[in-house]
Amino acid sequence: MNMMKRSHFLLNTLNCIARTAYVEGAPITEEAVYNLSELIRCALAEKDQIQTIRGELAAVRNYLKLQKIRLKDHFDFQIVVPDSAEDCRIPNMTLLPIVESVVMQGLTNDRKCLCILICAKEMGKNLEIFIEDNVSYSKENQGYGEDDRYIIDK
């Protein structure tokens, strides 16, 4: 109960900071604080809780938006998931640690811009999720470089 009170205080404080940023005309700060607040809200959810792909990607999107604010023109991302796949269920906080790892690995290379692609495609009764970056891009593969592939039962 005490932890819940502290997390409510933290989230309410972050929302207050975001509103202050709005009033002061600082939209980038406002967006960063809201993204962080939503990311923390997802992280505080129970680990064994089941989430939809839509919900899981919302947390991933908030993380990637924070990276975009931080890295500006040196970072970009795209998420391509069919609408029909968004209701598939996945354990909470499954994709975020993987995406974070791909981003951190990509930032260690001397690339001018790191681009992350997250896409999903339905494969019968499964959903295949690809998390790719452009770090090892080559003309031979005509696409993003390193990828992590995950298969989820629908």
Side-chain angles (χ1 to χ4, degrees):
M1 184 66 133
N2 201 13
M3 182 62 167
M4 285 181 63
K5 286 180 186 176
R6 281 188 259 162
S7 63
H8 273 294
F9 172 76
L10 174 63
L11 294 171
N12 288 340
T13 302
L14 286 171
N15 285 333
C16 181
I17 293 168
R19 294 311 298 160
T20 302
Y22 171 78
V23 169
E24 292 176 350
I28 294 172
T29 303
E30 177 190 16
E31 179 184 5
V33 174
Y34 275 134
N35 288 331
L36 178 60
S37 177
E38 286 303 310
L39 196 55
I40 290 171
R41 191 180 318 280
C42 292
L44 289 174
E46 293 181 32
K47 296 277 187 220
D48 59 350
Q49 184 177 345
I50 300 297
Q51 175 78 272
T52 62
I53 293 293
R54 179 183 303 103
E56 185 75 5
L57 287 176
V60 167
R61 196 172 281 110
N62 285 323
Y63 168 77
L64 293 172
K65 286 179 179 179
L66 285 169
Q67 292 298 340
K68 178 74 175 159
I69 290 168
R70 178 178 152 233
L71 300 168
K72 298 180 178 42
D73 294 336
H74 301 285
F75 182 79
D76 204 0
F77 69 92
Q78 183 177 12
I79 299 175
V80 181
V81 176
D83 292 340
S84 59
E86 288 189 344
D87 290 327
C88 291
R89 312 224 6 112
I90 187 172
N92 189 45
M93 299 299 281
T94 298
L95 296 178
L96 184 62
I98 298 164
V99 171
E100 182 180 14
S101 177
V102 170
V103 170
M104 292 300 115
Q105 285 253 321
L107 292 176
T108 62
N109 292 300
D110 293 331
R111 300 292 297 186
K112 187 169 186 141
C113 180
L114 174 63
C115 298
I116 301 293
L117 172 65
I118 300 169
C119 61
K121 63 181 176 179
E122 295 172 284
M123 308 278 291
K125 292 186 176 195
N126 293 323
L127 179 67
E128 194 168 16
I129 299 174
F130 299 86
I131 303 169
E132 304 176 320
D133 64 44
N134 67 331
V135 171
S136 53
Y137 177 83
S138 68
K139 292 197 180 222
E140 293 83 44
N141 69 13
Q142 292 296 311
Y144 281 73
E146 298 295 319
D147 76 10
D148 288 314
R149 202 171 285 197
Y150 303 91
I151 299 176
I152 299 164
D153 290 330
K154 293 198 312 187

